[in-house]
Amino acid sequence: MEQVEDVRIEVRRGAIWITLNRPQALNALSPNVVARINQALDQAEADDRVKAVVLTGTGKAFCAGGDLRYIHAQIGQDRAQVARFLESVLAMMARLERCPRPVIAAINGIAVAGGLELVLCCDLVIAARSAKLGDGHGNFGLLPGGGATVRLPRKIGPTRAKYLLFSGESLSAEEMMASGLVNKVVDDDKLLEETGLLVDKLQGKSTLALRRMKVLVDEGLEQPRDVALRNELVMSELHAHSHDMKEGLQAFLEKRPPVFTGR
């Protein structure tokens, strides 16, 4: 019998597509899932031809968080192993957040707890109309361990974040779009098509420019305004020496599509 992979990693349309594939477990995060996501990120970071990373799931869930069955089984045997697993999840999510490529979450269904934390590490979010997003840790007496208490208020504001954390409710994709977490809501059967179209938009862009814009936005959120503005100017001056900026300007003058190299 052919073994089914917990995570499918494919290169399509110039992007690394990471598909969580444990539908029977609502795509819960296990040690193997975490390791496979890290493998995909290794691949994305090593290949300049990759313009984006897409994260999605199979079945009715995007990701329902950490594998509570695994955690419960380990707590009775080896609490240190549980701590190592949680640390590995946190490290993987930090890598996802810092990935030098734009990371797109294509939310096909339920995204709660660690699944919501995965979404918070993505740059752009497209959600199926039936998708539900929430925290849910409090429903089981748990605390977030993948960054929800830090990233969620920065994404949607502290009041909305506290409501999700305290209530344990899951909200609709439309409600989360109104909160600013979701960029676009599409019909369920159009999710992958719309995600592919977004990936296509990134194909003609400079990977160097995209990477630098991502760094400026993410780091600027944590810096005083004057410092962030100064850093943007310094980065712009550095970027003026790049091949891609010169190529973009030349292509503009010659009225042709630019050919970027990521340098």
Side-chain angles (χ1 to χ4, degrees), residues 23-257:
Q24 75 286 354
L26 299 180
N27 295 325
L29 297 172
S30 66
N32 184 57
V33 169
V34 172
R36 288 285 287 162
I37 293 175
N38 277 320
Q39 288 175 14
L41 293 174
D42 288 340
Q43 188 174 344
E45 292 168 8
D47 191 344
D48 284 340
R49 295 170 297 178
V50 172
K51 293 294 181 75
V53 174
V54 177
L55 183 62
T56 191
T58 58
K60 64 181 182 180
F62 172 78
C63 175
D67 191 329
L68 297 186
R69 293 183 184 277
Y70 167 78
I71 293 172
H72 181 264
Q74 290 297 323
I75 280 180
Q77 302 175 28
D78 186 358
R79 289 180 180 270
Q81 179 67 23
V82 174
R84 287 191 292 270
F85 170 62
L86 295 177
E87 288 170 2
S88 74
V89 171
L90 190 62
M92 176 272 290
M93 290 189 179
R95 281 197 70 193
L96 190 68
E97 185 176 42
R98 295 194 303 265
C99 179
R101 310 286 183 261
V103 180
I104 303 167
I107 306 177
N108 55 294
I110 300 165
V112 297
L116 176 65
E117 289 170 321
L118 280 176
V119 174
L120 292 171
C121 294
C122 298
D123 301 299
L124 303 171
V125 180
I126 299 180
R129 204 167 301 281
S130 66
K132 296 284 188 179
L133 297 88
D135 181 65
H137 283 100
N139 294 336
F140 302 98
L142 306 175
L143 287 178
T149 62
V150 177
R151 294 188 178 100
L152 188 59
R154 284 168 166 78
K155 293 271 189 174
I156 67 173
T159 303
R160 287 170 171 163
K162 287 175 183 176
Y163 182 82
L164 283 179
L165 292 166
F166 296 169
S167 72
E169 287 186 24
S170 293
L171 303 182
S172 69
E174 285 88 352
E175 288 173 299
M176 294 309 290
M177 184 168 67
S179 294
L181 182 61
V182 172
N183 294 103
K184 189 174 186 179
V185 178
V186 300
D187 291 340
D188 289 26
D189 61 351
K190 298 291 184 182
L191 178 65
L192 295 184
E193 178 185 342
E194 290 290 335
T195 303
L197 292 174
L198 178 55
V199 170
D200 290 344
K201 288 182 180 180
L202 301 176
Q203 288 308 302
K205 305 298 189 294
S206 160
T207 55
L208 179 65
L210 290 174
R211 182 172 76 248
R212 286 176 167 171
M213 283 190 283
K214 178 171 177 173
V215 167
L216 287 169
V217 171
D218 289 347
E219 292 186 354
L221 287 170
E222 306 299 325
Q223 297 165 339
R225 184 173 182 273
D226 290 346
V227 173
L229 288 169
R230 170 56 59 179
N231 287 342
E232 182 187 75
L233 178 60
V234 170
M235 185 72 83
S236 295
E237 291 172 346
L238 174 65
H239 194 70
H241 298 285
S242 69
H243 167 274
D244 281 4
M245 180 168 171
K246 295 172 184 175
E247 166 62 13
L249 292 173
Q250 191 65 34
F252 171 77
L253 294 173
E254 296 175 4
K255 298 182 179 180
R256 61 169 174 81

